[in-house]
Amino acid sequence: EELLEQSGPEIKKPGESLKISCKGSGYRFSNFWIGWLRQMPGKELEWMGVIYPGDSTLRYNPSFQDRVTISADESMSTAYLQWSSLEASDTAIYYCARQEELLSYFGPWGQGTLVIVSS
Amino acid sequence: DIQMTQSPSSLSASVGDIVTIACQASQDISKHLSWYQLQPGKAPKLLIFDASNLEIGVPSRFSGSGSGTEFILTITSLQPEDIATYYCQQYDNVPYTFGQGTKLDIK
């Protein structure tokens, strides 16, 4: 079964750094794009960016480019989303999801990582 | 960016009903549209891709139609397990964008 498993929930303070993960299994991780998506409380899904683990090609949504860094470790079949300095507005559920091509639908999805940023 | 407008924002229906959710794109996206089901505590689920193709394992009561700018998700014979929020998404152009979601519950 092709799965994406995300790291657990996080509670952080403003200004702290954070790196969450998304591990793929049941398929060749390097051959598919992994996207990151945000869902703020009560809001719609937003696409943040995508990485191709095979060569680390990245595409960011300009709305997120200055706030987060996306990376991947092909040897670990894991993609990452990180912040250097969290803000309260980063409170959200973050999902990873696989794409077959850059212009393609998302599936499967990870279960989501809840990030709460509060002083 | 391509704007996706979904309607209605919420919907209440009875078991066995036919439910339709609409999604409109701000420009022609051909058939580059997918539908997802989100339920609390579960991984989001791809239902429909390329506007009308049913993802493997998704019950046949789900169907999609449309092209260009107008799209429809239909659930025939609504089941209790279909309680969820449904989103459309365009992948014709980056950045990918989603509709605002339709929250479906059972009467």
Side-chain angles (χ1 to χ4, degrees), chain B residues 5-81:
Chain B
T5 304
Q6 227 178 293
S7 61
S9 57
S10 64
L11 179 56
S12 187
S14 300
V15 172
D17 280 356
I18 298 173
V19 170
T20 60
I21 299 170
C23 181
Q24 182 179 55
S26 61
Q27 65 188 65
D28 189 339
I29 59 170
S30 185
K31 289 197 160 195
H32 302 138
L33 182 109
S34 51
W35 289 95
Y36 303 94
Q37 179 190 65
L38 271 70
Q39 297 175 317
K42 292 186 177 182
K45 186 178 181 181
L46 171 67
L47 300 174
I48 302 286
F49 62 93
D50 293 346
S52 59
N53 290 329
L54 191 69
E55 172 69 349
I56 295 171
V58 173
S60 59
R61 63 180 179 273
F62 291 91
S63 64
S65 63
S67 65
T69 61
E70 304 287 339
F71 302 88
I72 299 285
L73 173 70
T74 301
I75 310 173
T76 56
S77 190
L78 185 69
Q79 298 300 304
E81 60 265 33

Side-chain angles (χ1 to χ4, degrees), chain A residues 30-84:
Chain A
S30 58
N31 286 6
F32 294 83
W33 297 79
I34 294 287
W36 286 96
L37 304 103
R38 180 178 81 174
Q39 187 172 37
M40 298 175 73
K43 300 294 186 183
E44 69 266 30
L45 291 160
E46 300 171 277
W47 173 71
M48 303 174 72
V50 64
I51 188 166
Y52 188 76
D55 61 8
S56 294
T57 298
L58 282 161
R59 292 290 297 272
Y60 284 100
N61 183 333
S63 299
F64 291 91
Q65 186 154 8
D66 293 336
R67 294 282 300 121
V68 297
T69 300
I70 294 170
S71 60
D73 183 335
E74 191 181 350
S75 67
M76 298 288 289
S77 297
T78 301
Y80 302 96
L81 179 66
Q82 67 181 86
W83 296 260
S84 59

